[in-house]
Amino acid sequence: MAKIITVANQKGGVGKTTTAINLSASLAAAEKKVLLIDIDPQSNSSSGINIGGTTSSVYDVLIGMEDASKVIVATSMPFLDIIPANIDLVGAEIEMVDFENREKLLKKQIDPLRDRYDFIIIDSPPSLGLLTLNALTASDSVLIPVQCEYFALEGLAQLLNTINIVKQHFNQDLSIEGVLLTMYDVRLNLSQQVAEEVKKFFGDKVFKTIIHRNVKLSEAPSHGKPVLYYDALSTGAKNYIALASELLGRN
């Protein structure tokens, strides 16, 4: 029975898609069956593992044109599948507005897939619109990446408020899986200060694993590979393997 985790933060550039791709790949490397769902119109999770130009996507699933099981694409990595996104998703939120139970369209489609996987990871868009709402309603928990830079906590109160609204109205079992510190630079006092601030705010919800700023991590998507397959000895690969291990320990 899969645990469904949405990677969410409406602030852009915090390492959300990087985390969705590399956590999924690291869990798959541990021989866990993983389904990555790209529900971001930018479709960076799809291109980041070299899946692009597919005719069917998560858009077709949301508007009811395709069954989710028929849109799943096997990746080149054992144990890792994806439901990709493409440019069609850009107008999905407008189309979905008039649908009945529009917040539960994704949940209805992916609940039947739970028995096929150990983890379902959802990469949500950098906004708190209907797509993110669908992801949160369909999920068991939320993983929140927070970058170790200025204004790190900016907007987090709004995200936490959205999570509470989802719990009240659509998904009472939704919990915070954890807060992940990303883009940590050991050379900067700022990174240490932000890390301390986030730990004060979230306490034991903060993962012990920290994702350090790493060139290989930035380069990997342009090669259509998770960092584990681009450079397995890089700091980025080691960080995400550690995160997967910590997540498995928690679950």
Side-chain angles (χ1 to χ4, degrees), residues 133-150:
L133 200 55
N134 262 267
L136 295 175
T137 302
S139 296
D140 298 309
S141 62
V142 192
L143 191 158
I144 306 170
V146 176
Q147 84 282 31
C148 295
E149 295 178 357
Y150 283 117

Side-chain angles (χ1 to χ4, degrees), residues 79-96:
F79 299 100
L80 179 58
D81 293 339
I82 184 170
I83 293 180
N86 61 26
I87 195 67
D88 293 341
L89 199 55
V90 170
E93 290 194 339
I94 297 168
E95 290 184 56
M96 291 159 63

Side-chain angles (χ1 to χ4, degrees), residues 208-226:
K208 291 183 175 66
T209 303
I210 293 174
I211 308 302
H212 292 76
R213 193 174 284 281
N214 178 243
V215 173
K216 299 295 183 183
L217 204 51
S218 303
E219 291 175 352
S222 65
H223 295 268
K225 294 178 180 179

Side-chain angles (χ1 to χ4, degrees), residues 38-207:
D38 189 354
I39 199 171
D40 185 347
Q42 296 174 83
S43 62
N44 289 335
S45 274
S46 305
S47 60
I49 53 174
N50 205 27
I51 304 291
T54 53
T55 50
S56 295
S57 72
V58 72
Y59 167 79
D60 302 288
V61 172
L62 288 168
I63 65 167
M65 284 181 65
E66 284 281 12
D67 189 76
S69 62
K70 293 178 181 172
V71 181
I72 293 170
V73 178
T75 72
S76 58
M77 289 154 274
F79 299 100
L80 179 58
D81 293 339
I82 184 170
I83 293 180
N86 61 26
I87 195 67
D88 293 341
L89 199 55
V90 170
E93 290 194 339
I94 297 168
E95 290 184 56
M96 291 159 63
V97 165
D98 294 327
F99 285 24
E100 191 177 347
N101 290 324
R102 58 183 180 265
E103 300 86 2
K104 298 182 179 179
L105 297 172
L106 185 64
K107 177 179 173 60
K108 182 182 174 184
Q109 285 274 15
I110 65 173
D111 269 353
L113 302 176
R114 280 184 184 263
D115 291 338
R116 293 171 55 174
Y117 295 96
D118 297 306
F119 288 93
I120 296 175
I121 308 291
I122 305 174
D123 182 21
S124 63
S127 68
L128 294 177
L130 200 45
L131 292 173
T132 298
L133 200 55
N134 262 267
L136 295 175
T137 302
S139 296
D140 298 309
S141 62
V142 192
L143 191 158
I144 306 170
V146 176
Q147 84 282 31
C148 295
E149 295 178 357
Y150 283 117
F151 308 123
L153 296 174
E154 189 181 65
L156 280 183
Q158 194 181 354
L159 174 61
L160 295 175
N161 187 47
T162 300
I163 291 169
N164 284 331
I165 289 168
V166 171
K167 284 181 73 169
Q168 286 173 28
H169 297 285
F170 309 115
N171 180 6
Q172 63 180 14
D173 298 322
L174 184 66
S175 64
I176 294 175
E177 186 68 40
V179 177
L180 177 67
L181 293 164
T182 64
M183 303 179 192
Y184 187 91
D185 191 332
V186 291
R187 298 166 299 179
L188 300 178
N189 286 333
L190 176 64
S191 284
Q192 297 170 34
Q193 290 165 8
V194 171
E196 287 168 14
E197 196 177 347
V198 171
K199 286 173 184 173
K200 273 185 202 169
F201 193 80
F202 287 102
D204 59 4
K205 285 290 183 187
V206 181
F207 283 102

